[in-house]
Coordinates of all heavy atoms in Angstrom, one line a residue:
M1 N 103.2 29.9 10.1 CA 104.0 30.9 9.4 C 105.4 30.8 9.9 O 105.7 30.9 11.1 CB 103.4 32.2 9.6 CG 104.2 33.4 9.1 SD 103.6 35.0 9.4 CE 102.2 35.0 8.3
K2 N 106.4 30.8 9.0 CA 107.8 30.8 9.4 C 108.2 32.3 9.6 O 108.1 33.1 8.7 CB 108.6 30.2 8.2 CG 110.1 30.3 8.4 CD 110.6 29.2 9.4 CE 112.1 29.2 9.4 NZ 112.7 29.2 10.7
I3 N 108.8 32.5 10.8 CA 109.2 33.9 11.1 C 110.7 33.9 11.0 O 111.4 33.1 11.7 CB 108.8 34.2 12.6 CG1 107.3 34.0 12.8 CG2 109.3 35.6 12.9 CD1 106.4 35.0 12.0
P4 N 111.2 34.8 10.1 CA 112.7 34.9 10.0 C 113.3 35.4 11.3 O 112.6 36.0 12.1 CB 112.9 36.0 8.9 CG 111.6 36.1 8.3 CD 110.5 35.7 9.3
N5 N 114.6 35.1 11.5 CA 115.2 35.5 12.7 C 115.4 37.1 12.7 O 115.3 37.7 11.6 CB 116.6 34.8 13.0 CG 117.6 35.2 12.0 OD1 117.9 36.3 11.7 ND2 118.3 34.2 11.5
P6 N 115.7 37.7 13.9 CA 115.7 39.1 13.9 C 116.7 39.7 12.9 O 116.5 40.8 12.4 CB 116.1 39.4 15.4 CG 115.6 38.2 16.1 CD 115.8 37.1 15.2
Q7 N 117.9 39.1 12.7 CA 118.9 39.6 11.8 C 118.4 39.6 10.4 O 118.7 40.5 9.6 CB 120.2 38.8 12.0 CG 120.9 39.1 13.3 CD 121.2 40.5 13.5 OE1 122.1 41.0 12.8 NE2 120.6 41.2 14.4
Q8 N 117.6 38.6 10.0 CA 117.1 38.5 8.7 C 116.1 39.6 8.4 O 115.9 40.0 7.3 CB 116.5 37.1 8.4 CG 117.5 36.0 8.4 CD 116.8 34.6 8.4 OE1 115.8 34.4 9.1 NE2 117.4 33.7 7.6
L9 N 115.4 40.1 9.4 CA 114.5 41.2 9.3 C 115.1 42.5 9.3 O 114.5 43.5 9.1 CB 113.4 41.1 10.4 CG 112.4 40.0 10.4 CD1 111.5 40.0 11.6 CD2 111.6 40.0 9.1
G10 N 116.4 42.6 9.6 CA 117.1 43.8 9.6 C 117.0 44.6 10.9 O 117.3 45.8 10.9
L11 N 116.7 43.9 12.0 CA 116.6 44.5 13.3 C 118.0 44.8 13.8 O 118.9 44.2 13.4 CB 115.8 43.6 14.2 CG 114.3 43.5 13.9 CD1 113.7 42.2 14.4 CD2 113.6 44.7 14.3
P12 N 118.0 45.7 14.8 CA 119.3 46.0 15.4 C 120.1 44.8 15.8 O 119.6 43.8 16.2 CB 119.0 47.0 16.5 CG 117.7 47.6 16.1 CD 117.0 46.5 15.4
E13 N 121.4 45.0 15.8 CA 122.4 43.9 16.0 C 122.2 43.2 17.4 O 122.4 42.0 17.5 CB 123.8 44.5 16.0 CG 124.9 43.4 16.1 CD 125.1 42.6 14.9 OE1 124.7 43.0 13.8 OE2 125.7 41.5 15.1
K14 N 121.7 44.0 18.4 CA 121.6 43.4 19.7 C 120.5 42.2 19.8 O 120.5 41.5 20.7 CB 121.3 44.4 20.8 CG 119.9 45.0 20.7 CD 119.7 46.0 21.9 CE 118.3 46.3 22.2 NZ 118.2 47.2 23.4
F15 N 119.6 42.2 18.7 CA 118.6 41.1 18.7 C 119.1 40.0 17.8 O 119.0 40.1 16.6 CB 117.3 41.7 18.2 CG 116.8 42.8 19.0 CD1 116.7 44.1 18.5 CD2 116.3 42.6 20.3 CE1 116.3 45.2 19.3 CE2 115.8 43.6 21.1 CZ 115.8 44.9 20.6
Q16 N 119.6 38.9 18.4 CA 120.1 37.8 17.7 C 119.1 36.6 17.5 O 119.1 36.0 16.5 CB 121.4 37.3 18.3 CG 122.5 38.3 18.3 CD 123.0 38.5 16.9 OE1 123.3 37.6 16.2 NE2 123.2 39.8 16.6
T17 N 118.3 36.4 18.6 CA 117.3 35.3 18.5 C 116.0 35.8 19.2 O 115.9 36.8 19.8 CB 117.8 34.1 19.4 OG1 118.0 34.5 20.7 CG2 119.1 33.6 18.8
W18 N 115.0 35.0 18.9 CA 113.6 35.3 19.5 C 113.5 34.7 20.9 O 114.1 33.6 21.2 CB 112.5 34.7 18.7 CG 112.4 35.2 17.3 CD1 112.6 34.5 16.1 CD2 112.2 36.6 16.9 NE1 112.5 35.3 15.0 CE2 112.2 36.6 15.5 CE3 111.9 37.8 17.5 CZ2 112.0 37.7 14.7 CZ3 111.7 38.9 16.8 CH2 111.7 38.9 15.4
R19 N 112.8 35.3 21.8 CA 112.4 34.6 23.0 C 111.3 33.6 22.7 O 110.7 33.7 21.6 CB 111.9 35.6 24.1 CG 113.0 36.6 24.5 CD 112.5 37.5 25.5 NE 113.6 38.5 25.8 CZ 113.4 39.6 26.5 NH1 112.2 40.0 26.8 NH2 114.4 40.4 26.7
S20 N 111.0 32.7 23.6 CA 110.2 31.5 23.4 C 108.8 31.9 22.8 O 108.3 31.2 21.8 CB 110.0 30.7 24.6 OG 109.4 31.4 25.6
D21 N 108.1 32.9 23.2 CA 106.7 33.2 22.8 C 106.7 34.2 21.7 O 105.6 34.5 21.1 CB 105.9 33.7 24.0 CG 105.7 32.7 25.0 OD1 105.7 31.5 24.7 OD2 105.5 33.0 26.2
Q22 N 107.8 34.8 21.3 CA 107.8 35.9 20.3 C 107.4 35.4 18.9 O 106.5 36.1 18.3 CB 109.1 36.6 20.3 CG 109.3 37.5 21.5 CD 110.7 38.1 21.5 OE1 111.7 37.5 21.1 NE2 110.7 39.4 22.0
P23 N 107.9 34.4 18.3 CA 107.5 34.0 17.0 C 105.9 33.7 16.9 O 105.3 34.2 15.9 CB 108.3 32.7 16.7 CG 109.5 32.8 17.5 CD 109.0 33.5 18.8
E24 N 105.4 33.1 17.9 CA 103.9 32.8 17.9 C 103.1 34.1 18.0 O 102.1 34.3 17.3 CB 103.5 31.9 19.0 CG 102.1 31.6 19.0 CD 101.7 30.7 20.2 OE1 102.5 30.3 21.0 OE2 100.5 30.4 20.3
A25 N 103.6 35.1 18.8 CA 102.9 36.4 18.9 C 103.0 37.1 17.6 O 102.0 37.7 17.2 CB 103.5 37.2 20.1
I26 N 104.1 37.1 17.0 CA 104.3 37.8 15.7 C 103.3 37.2 14.6 O 102.6 37.9 13.9 CB 105.7 37.8 15.2 CG1 106.6 38.6 16.1 CG2 105.8 38.3 13.8 CD1 108.1 38.3 15.9
S27 N 103.3 35.9 14.6 CA 102.4 35.2 13.7 C 101.0 35.5 13.9 O 100.2 35.8 13.0 CB 102.7 33.7 13.8 OG 101.9 33.0 12.9
N28 N 100.6 35.6 15.2 CA 99.2 35.9 15.5 C 98.8 37.3 15.1 O 97.8 37.5 14.6 CB 99.0 35.7 17.0 CG 98.9 34.3 17.5 OD1 98.8 33.4 16.7 ND2 99.1 34.1 18.8
C29 N 99.7 38.2 15.3 CA 99.5 39.6 15.0 C 99.3 39.8 13.4 O 98.5 40.5 12.9 CB 100.6 40.5 15.4 SG 100.6 40.9 17.2
L30 N 100.2 39.0 12.7 CA 100.1 39.1 11.2 C 98.9 38.5 10.7 O 98.4 38.8 9.6 CB 101.4 38.5 10.6 CG 102.7 39.3 10.9 CD1 103.9 38.4 10.4 CD2 102.7 40.6 10.1
S31 N 98.3 37.5 11.4 CA 97.2 36.8 10.9 C 95.8 37.5 11.1 O 94.8 37.2 10.5 CB 97.1 35.4 11.4 OG 96.8 35.4 12.8
L32 N 95.8 38.5 12.0 CA 94.6 39.2 12.4 C 94.2 40.1 11.2 O 95.0 40.7 10.5 CB 94.8 40.1 13.6 CG 95.1 39.3 14.9 CD1 95.4 40.3 16.0 CD2 93.9 38.5 15.3
R33 N 92.9 40.3 11.0 CA 92.4 41.1 10.0 C 91.9 42.5 10.4 O 91.4 43.2 9.7 CB 91.2 40.4 9.3 CG 91.6 39.1 8.6 CD 92.4 39.5 7.3 NE 92.7 38.3 6.6 CZ 93.8 38.2 5.9 NH1 94.7 39.2 5.8 NH2 94.1 37.1 5.2
K34 N 92.2 42.8 11.7 CA 91.8 44.1 12.2 C 92.8 45.1 11.9 O 94.0 44.9 11.7 CB 91.6 44.0 13.7 CG 90.5 43.1 14.2 CD 89.2 43.6 13.9 CE 88.1 42.7 14.4 NZ 86.8 43.3 14.1
R35 N 92.4 46.4 11.9 CA 93.3 47.5 11.6 C 94.2 47.8 12.7 O 95.3 48.3 12.6 CB 92.4 48.7 11.3 CG 93.2 49.9 10.8 CD 92.3 50.9 10.2 NE 93.0 52.1 10.0 CZ 92.5 53.3 9.9 NH1 91.2 53.4 9.9 NH2 93.2 54.4 9.7
V36 N 93.8 47.5 14.0 CA 94.6 47.7 15.2 C 94.8 46.4 15.9 O 93.9 45.6 16.1 CB 93.8 48.7 16.1 CG1 94.6 48.9 17.4 CG2 93.6 50.1 15.4
N37 N 96.1 46.2 16.3 CA 96.4 45.0 17.1 C 96.9 45.5 18.4 O 97.6 46.6 18.5 CB 97.6 44.3 16.4 CG 97.2 43.6 15.2 OD1 96.0 43.2 15.0 ND2 98.1 43.4 14.2
V38 N 96.6 44.8 19.5 CA 97.0 45.1 20.8 C 97.8 43.9 21.4 O 97.3 42.8 21.2 CB 95.8 45.5 21.7 CG1 96.3 45.7 23.2 CG2 95.1 46.7 21.2
I39 N 98.9 44.1 21.9 CA 99.7 43.0 22.5 C 99.6 43.2 24.1 O 100.0 44.2 24.6 CB 101.2 43.1 22.1 CG1 101.2 42.9 20.6 CG2 102.0 42.0 22.8 CD1 102.6 43.1 20.0
S40 N 99.1 42.2 24.7 CA 99.1 42.2 26.2 C 99.8 41.0 26.7 O 99.4 39.8 26.6 CB 97.6 42.2 26.7 OG 97.6 42.1 28.1
M41 N 101.0 41.2 27.2 CA 101.9 40.1 27.7 C 102.6 40.7 28.9 O 102.7 41.9 29.1 CB 102.9 39.7 26.6 CG 102.3 39.2 25.4 SD 103.6 38.9 24.1 CE 104.2 37.3 24.6
P42 N 103.1 39.8 29.8 CA 103.8 40.2 31.0 C 105.1 40.9 30.7 O 105.7 40.7 29.6 CB 104.1 38.9 31.7 CG 103.2 37.9 31.1 CD 102.9 38.3 29.7
T43 N 105.6 41.7 31.6 CA 106.9 42.3 31.5 C 107.9 41.3 31.2 O 107.9 40.2 31.8 CB 107.2 43.1 32.8 OG1 106.2 44.0 33.1 CG2 108.5 43.8 32.7
G44 N 108.8 41.6 30.3 CA 110.0 40.7 30.0 C 109.7 39.8 28.9 O 110.6 39.0 28.5
K45 N 108.5 39.8 28.3 CA 108.2 38.8 27.2 C 108.7 39.4 25.8 O 108.7 38.6 24.8 CB 106.7 38.5 27.1 CG 106.3 37.6 28.2 CD 106.8 36.2 28.0 CE 106.2 35.2 29.0 NZ 106.7 33.9 28.7
G46 N 109.0 40.7 25.7 CA 109.5 41.2 24.5 C 108.5 41.8 23.6 O 108.6 41.7 22.4
K47 N 107.5 42.5 24.2 CA 106.5 43.1 23.4 C 107.1 44.2 22.4 O 106.6 44.3 21.3 CB 105.5 43.8 24.3 CG 104.7 42.8 25.1 CD 103.7 43.6 26.1 CE 104.4 44.3 27.1 NZ 105.1 43.6 28.2
E48 N 108.1 44.9 22.8 CA 108.7 45.9 21.9 C 109.2 45.2 20.6 O 108.9 45.7 19.5 CB 109.9 46.5 22.7 CG 110.7 47.5 21.9 CD 111.8 48.1 22.7 OE1 111.6 48.6 23.7 OE2 113.0 47.9 22.2
L49 N 110.0 44.2 20.7 CA 110.5 43.5 19.6 C 109.4 42.9 18.7 O 109.4 42.9 17.5 CB 111.5 42.4 20.0 CG 112.3 41.8 18.8 CD1 113.0 42.8 18.0 CD2 113.3 40.8 19.4
I50 N 108.4 42.3 19.4 CA 107.2 41.8 18.7 C 106.5 42.8 17.8 O 106.2 42.6 16.6 CB 106.2 41.1 19.7 CG1 106.8 39.9 20.3 CG2 104.9 40.8 18.9 CD1 106.0 39.4 21.5
S51 N 106.3 44.0 18.4 CA 105.6 45.0 17.6 C 106.4 45.5 16.5 O 105.9 45.7 15.4 CB 105.2 46.2 18.6 OG 106.3 46.8 19.1
V52 N 107.7 45.7 16.6 CA 108.5 46.2 15.5 C 108.7 45.1 14.5 O 108.6 45.4 13.3 CB 109.9 46.7 16.1 CG1 110.8 47.0 14.9 CG2 109.7 47.8 17.0
A53 N 108.9 43.9 14.8 CA 109.0 42.8 13.9 C 107.7 42.6 13.1 O 107.7 42.4 11.9 CB 109.4 41.5 14.6
T54 N 106.6 42.7 13.8 CA 105.3 42.6 13.1 C 105.1 43.8 12.1 O 104.7 43.5 10.9 CB 104.1 42.7 14.1 OG1 104.3 41.5 15.0 CG2 102.8 42.6 13.4
A55 N 105.5 45.0 12.4 CA 105.4 46.1 11.5 C 106.3 45.9 10.3 O 105.9 46.1 9.2 CB 105.9 47.4 12.3
I56 N 107.5 45.4 10.5 CA 108.4 45.1 9.4 C 107.8 44.1 8.5 O 107.8 44.2 7.2 CB 109.8 44.7 9.9 CG1 110.5 45.9 10.5 CG2 110.6 44.2 8.7 CD1 111.8 45.6 11.3
M57 N 107.4 43.0 9.0 CA 106.9 41.9 8.2 C 105.6 42.2 7.5 O 105.3 41.7 6.4 CB 106.7 40.6 9.1 CG 108.0 40.0 9.5 SD 107.8 38.4 10.3 CE 107.2 37.4 8.9
S58 N 104.7 43.1 8.1 CA 103.5 43.4 7.5 C 103.7 44.3 6.2 O 102.9 44.3 5.3 CB 102.5 44.1 8.4 OG 102.9 45.4 8.7
G59 N 104.7 45.1 6.3 CA 104.9 46.1 5.2 C 104.0 47.2 5.2 O 104.0 48.1 4.3
E60 N 103.2 47.3 6.2 CA 102.2 48.4 6.4 C 102.7 49.6 7.2 O 103.5 49.3 8.1 CB 100.9 47.9 7.0 CG 100.2 46.8 6.3 CD 99.5 47.3 5.0 OE1 99.1 48.5 5.0 OE2 99.4 46.6 4.0
P61 N 102.3 50.8 6.9 CA 102.6 51.9 7.8 C 102.1 51.6 9.2 O 101.0 51.1 9.4 CB 101.9 53.1 7.2 CG 101.6 52.7 5.8 CD 101.4 51.2 5.8
T62 N 102.9 51.8 10.2 CA 102.6 51.4 11.6 C 102.9 52.5 12.6 O 103.9 53.1 12.5 CB 103.4 50.1 11.9 OG1 103.2 49.1 11.0 CG2 103.1 49.6 13.3
A63 N 102.0 52.6 13.5 CA 102.2 53.5 14.6 C 102.2 52.7 15.9 O 101.3 51.8 16.1 CB 101.0 54.5 14.8
I64 N 103.2 52.9 16.7 CA 103.3 52.1 18.0 C 103.1 53.2 19.1 O 103.8 54.2 19.2 CB 104.7 51.5 18.1 CG1 104.9 50.4 17.0 CG2 104.9 50.9 19.5 CD1 106.3 49.9 16.9
V65 N 102.0 53.0 19.8 CA 101.6 53.9 20.8 C 102.1 53.4 22.2 O 101.9 52.3 22.5 CB 100.1 54.1 20.9 CG1 99.6 55.1 21.9 CG2 99.6 54.5 19.5
T66 N 102.8 54.3 22.9 CA 103.3 53.9 24.2 C 102.6 54.7 25.3 O 102.0 55.7 25.1 CB 104.8 54.2 24.3 OG1 105.0 55.6 24.2 CG2 105.6 53.5 23.2
A67 N 102.7 54.1 26.5 CA 102.1 54.7 27.7 C 102.9 55.8 28.4 O 102.4 56.5 29.2 CB 101.7 53.6 28.7
S68 N 104.2 55.8 28.0 CA 105.0 56.8 28.7 C 106.1 57.4 27.8 O 106.4 56.7 26.8 CB 105.7 56.1 29.9 OG 106.7 55.2 29.5
R69 N 106.6 58.5 28.1 CA 107.7 59.1 27.3 C 109.0 58.3 27.5 O 109.8 58.2 26.5 CB 108.0 60.5 27.8 CG 106.8 61.4 27.3 CD 107.1 62.8 27.7 NE 106.0 63.7 27.3 CZ 105.8 64.9 27.7 NH1 106.6 65.4 28.6 NH2 104.8 65.6 27.2
G70 N 109.2 57.6 28.6 CA 110.3 56.8 28.8 C 110.3 55.6 27.8 O 111.4 55.3 27.2
L71 N 109.2 55.0 27.7 CA 109.1 53.9 26.7 C 109.2 54.4 25.3 O 109.9 53.7 24.5 CB 107.8 53.1 26.9 CG 107.6 51.8 26.1 CD1 108.8 50.9 26.3 CD2 106.3 51.2 26.5
Q72 N 108.7 55.5 25.0 CA 108.8 56.1 23.7 C 110.3 56.4 23.4 O 110.8 56.1 22.3 CB 108.0 57.4 23.6 CG 107.9 57.9 22.2 CD 106.9 59.0 22.0 OE1 106.3 59.5 23.0 NE2 106.6 59.5 20.8
N73 N 111.0 56.9 24.4 CA 112.4 57.2 24.2 C 113.2 55.9 24.0 O 114.1 55.8 23.2 CB 113.0 57.8 25.5 CG 112.5 59.3 25.6 OD1 112.1 59.9 24.7 ND2 112.6 59.8 26.9
Q74 N 112.8 54.8 24.7 CA 113.4 53.5 24.5 C 113.3 53.0 23.1 O 114.2 52.6 22.4 CB 112.8 52.5 25.5 CG 113.4 51.1 25.4 CD 112.8 50.2 26.5 OE1 112.6 50.6 27.6 NE2 112.5 49.0 26.1
Y75 N 112.0 53.0 22.5 CA 111.8 52.6 21.2 C 112.6 53.5 20.2 O 113.3 52.9 19.3 CB 110.3 52.8 20.8 CG 109.4 51.7 21.0 CD1 108.7 51.6 22.2 CD2 109.2 50.7 20.1 CE1 107.8 50.5 22.4 CE2 108.4 49.6 20.3 CZ 107.7 49.5 21.5 OH 106.8 48.5 21.7
S76 N 112.6 54.8 20.4 CA 113.3 55.7 19.5 C 114.8 55.4 19.5 O 115.4 55.3 18.4 CB 113.1 57.1 19.9 OG 111.7 57.5 19.8
S77 N 115.4 55.2 20.6 CA 116.8 55.0 20.6 C 117.2 53.6 20.1 O 118.2 53.5 19.4 CB 117.4 55.2 22.1 OG 116.9 54.2 22.9
T78 N 116.4 52.6 20.4 CA 116.7 51.3 19.9 C 116.5 51.1 18.4 O 117.3 50.4 17.7 CB 115.8 50.2 20.6 OG1 116.0 50.4 22.0 CG2 116.1 48.8 20.2
Y79 N 115.5 51.7 17.8 CA 115.1 51.4 16.4 C 115.4 52.6 15.5 O 115.0 52.5 14.3 CB 113.7 51.0 16.4 CG 113.4 49.7 17.2 CD1 112.8 49.8 18.4 CD2 113.9 48.5 16.7 CE1 112.7 48.6 19.2 CE2 113.7 47.3 17.5 CZ 113.1 47.4 18.7 OH 112.9 46.3 19.4
K80 N 115.9 53.7 15.9 CA 116.3 54.8 15.0 C 117.1 54.3 13.9 O 117.0 54.7 12.7 CB 116.9 55.9 15.8 CG 117.2 57.1 15.0 CD 117.8 58.3 15.8 CE 117.9 59.5 14.9 NZ 118.3 60.7 15.7
S81 N 118.1 53.4 14.1 CA 119.0 52.9 13.1 C 118.3 52.2 12.0 O 118.9 52.0 10.9 CB 120.0 52.0 13.8 OG 119.5 50.8 14.3
I82 N 117.1 51.7 12.2 CA 116.4 51.0 11.1 C 115.2 51.9 10.5 O 114.4 51.4 9.8 CB 115.9 49.6 11.5 CG1 114.8 49.7 12.6 CG2 117.0 48.7 11.9 CD1 114.1 48.4 12.9
G83 N 115.2 53.1 10.9 CA 114.3 54.1 10.3 C 113.1 54.5 11.1 O 112.2 55.2 10.6
M84 N 113.0 54.0 12.3 CA 111.8 54.5 13.2 C 111.9 56.0 13.5 O 113.0 56.5 13.7 CB 111.8 53.7 14.5 CG 110.6 54.0 15.3 SD 110.4 53.0 16.8 CE 109.7 51.5 16.2
V85 N 110.8 56.6 13.4 CA 110.7 58.1 13.7 C 109.8 58.3 14.9 O 109.0 57.5 15.2 CB 110.3 58.9 12.5 CG1 111.3 58.8 11.4 CG2 108.9 58.5 12.0
D86 N 110.0 59.4 15.6 CA 109.3 59.7 16.8 C 108.4 60.8 16.6 O 108.8 61.9 16.2 CB 110.4 60.0 17.9 CG 109.8 60.3 19.3 OD1 108.5 60.3 19.4 OD2 110.6 60.4 20.2
L87 N 107.1 60.6 16.7 CA 106.1 61.7 16.6 C 105.5 61.9 17.9 O 104.8 61.0 18.5 CB 105.0 61.3 15.6 CG 105.5 61.0 14.2 CD1 104.3 60.5 13.3 CD2 106.1 62.2 13.5
R88 N 105.6 63.1 18.4 CA 105.1 63.4 19.8 C 104.1 64.6 19.7 O 104.1 65.4 18.8 CB 106.2 63.8 20.7 CG 107.1 62.7 21.0 CD 108.1 63.0 22.1 NE 109.1 62.0 22.1 CZ 109.6 61.4 23.2 NH1 109.2 61.8 24.3 NH2 110.5 60.5 23.1
G89 N 103.1 64.6 20.6 CA 102.1 65.7 20.7 C 100.8 65.2 20.1 O 100.5 65.5 18.9
R90 N 100.0 64.5 20.8 CA 98.8 64.0 20.3 C 97.8 65.0 19.7 O 97.0 64.7 18.8 CB 98.1 63.1 21.3 CG 97.5 64.0 22.4 CD 96.8 63.1 23.4 NE 96.3 63.9 24.5 CZ 95.9 63.5 25.7 NH1 95.9 62.2 25.9 NH2 95.5 64.3 26.6
D91 N 97.9 66.2 20.1 CA 97.0 67.3 19.6 C 97.5 67.8 18.2 O 96.8 68.5 17.6 CB 96.9 68.4 20.6 CG 96.1 68.0 21.8 OD1 95.3 67.1 21.7 OD2 96.3 68.7 22.9
N92 N 98.7 67.3 17.8 CA 99.2 67.8 16.5 C 98.7 66.9 15.4 O 99.1 67.2 14.2 CB 100.7 67.8 16.6 CG 101.2 68.8 17.5 OD1 100.6 69.9 17.7 ND2 102.3 68.5 18.2
Y93 N 98.0 65.8 15.7 CA 97.7 64.8 14.6 C 96.2 64.5 14.7 O 95.6 64.3 15.8 CB 98.5 63.5 14.8 CG 100.0 63.9 14.8 CD1 100.7 64.0 16.0 CD2 100.7 64.0 13.6 CE1 102.0 64.4 16.0 CE2 102.0 64.4 13.6 CZ 102.7 64.5 14.8 OH 104.0 64.9 14.8
I94 N 95.6 64.3 13.5 CA 94.2 63.9 13.5 C 94.1 62.4 13.5 O 94.9 61.7 12.9 CB 93.6 64.4 12.1 CG1 93.6 65.9 12.1 CG2 92.2 63.9 12.0 CD1 93.3 66.5 10.7
C95 N 93.2 61.9 14.3 CA 93.0 60.4 14.5 C 91.8 60.0 13.7 O 90.7 60.4 14.0 CB 92.9 60.0 15.9 SG 92.6 58.2 16.1
G96 N 92.0 59.2 12.7 CA 90.8 58.7 11.8 C 90.2 57.5 12.4 O 89.3 56.9 11.8
L97 N 90.6 57.0 13.5 CA 90.1 55.8 14.1 C 88.8 55.9 14.9 O 88.1 55.0 15.2 CB 91.1 55.1 15.0 CG 92.4 54.6 14.4 CD1 93.4 54.1 15.4 CD2 92.1 53.6 13.3
K98 N 88.5 57.1 15.2 CA 87.3 57.4 16.1 C 86.0 56.8 15.6 O 85.2 56.3 16.3 CB 87.2 58.9 16.4 CG 88.3 59.4 17.3 CD 88.1 60.9 17.5 CE 89.2 61.4 18.3 NZ 89.2 62.9 18.4
D99 N 85.8 56.8 14.3 CA 84.6 56.3 13.7 C 84.8 55.1 12.9 O 83.9 54.6 12.1 CB 84.0 57.4 12.7 CG 83.6 58.7 13.5 OD1 83.1 58.5 14.7 OD2 83.8 59.8 13.0
D100 N 85.9 54.4 13.1 CA 86.3 53.2 12.3 C 85.6 52.0 12.9 O 85.8 51.7 14.1 CB 87.8 53.0 12.3 CG 88.2 51.9 11.3 OD1 87.4 51.0 11.0 OD2 89.4 51.9 10.9
E101 N 84.7 51.3 12.2 CA 84.0 50.2 12.7 C 84.9 49.0 13.0 O 84.6 48.1 13.8 CB 82.9 49.7 11.6 CG 81.8 50.8 11.5 CD 80.8 50.4 10.4 OE1 80.9 49.2 10.0 OE2 80.0 51.2 10.1
D102 N 86.1 48.9 12.3 CA 87.0 47.8 12.5 C 87.9 48.0 13.8 O 88.7 47.1 14.1 CB 87.9 47.5 11.3 CG 87.1 47.0 10.1 OD1 86.1 46.3 10.4 OD2 87.5 47.3 9.0
F103 N 87.8 49.1 14.4 CA 88.6 49.4 15.5 C 88.2 48.7 16.8 O 87.1 48.5 17.1 CB 88.7 50.9 15.7 CG 89.6 51.3 16.9 CD1 90.9 51.1 16.8 CD2 89.1 52.0 18.0 CE1 91.8 51.5 17.8 CE2 89.9 52.4 19.0 CZ 91.3 52.1 18.9

């Protein structure tokens, strides 16, 4: 699968090119048929950009779950310009995944 460059996807200006493993990771995420994708890569591989690019290319509503408020703040500040919104407070939202067989 041909992955457009970050600028062609409308990502923030600071992202000009992909890191070496990012196009393959995006392609892998897009080819999965599961409702939930998990990216496990070492620090510095660019998981943040992979997840956002995958969301854009899929065209599907996407939730990116972070382990910390700091990381959530990072996503929010980096991608607010392209329409990302920040939803906080897990008790404020119903999760329909609990009984999902594809999860």
